[in-house]
Amino acid sequence: MEHDKLIRRKQVLELIGLSHTTQWRLEKAGRFPARVRLGSGSVGWHLAEVEEWVRERERVSVTSDITSLQGGEPGSVLPHRKG
């Protein structure tokens, strides 16, 4: 990733709003960007990958909200409000 900034765990957790344990579990399951080893005891993450992960969660959330408003029918149209 050209010109990508590496961020440390504290910044990652602030961006994603999850606990260290939840982030670690997601990463272990392959559902969060992989860490980059920076040294013998330090790791970081590509900022662009973390930001994309957050954007993807937002897209999933919006799609889920719309589907639930539509009564669980992905192809249906939202009802119009009267008044």
Side-chain angles (χ1 to χ4, degrees):
M1 302 206 128
E2 196 173 325
H3 306 294
D4 188 19
K5 180 178 180 181
L6 291 173
I7 58 174
R8 302 296 296 270
R9 180 177 311 278
K10 182 178 177 182
Q11 294 168 297
V12 168
L13 297 178
E14 288 172 0
L15 283 171
I16 67 173
L18 298 173
S19 71
H20 167 266
T21 303
T22 300
Q23 178 273 321
W24 177 81
R25 287 178 181 151
L26 288 168
E27 184 179 354
K28 186 176 177 186
R31 297 173 46 209
F32 189 81
R35 64 189 66 204
V36 176
R37 178 144 315 273
L38 301 175
S40 62
S42 61
V43 295
W45 286 261
H46 288 281
L47 176 59
E49 291 179 4
V50 174
E51 289 175 331
E52 178 57 31
W53 183 87
V54 170
R55 282 191 293 276
E56 182 59 32
R57 303 289 77 69
E58 290 169 350
R59 284 192 287 272
V60 169
S61 176
V62 168
T63 302
S64 296
D65 290 348
I66 291 172
T67 300
S68 67
L69 287 172
Q70 294 172 339
E73 300 173 20
S76 66
V77 177
L78 290 174
H80 293 288
R81 296 183 112 181
K82 293 183 181 179

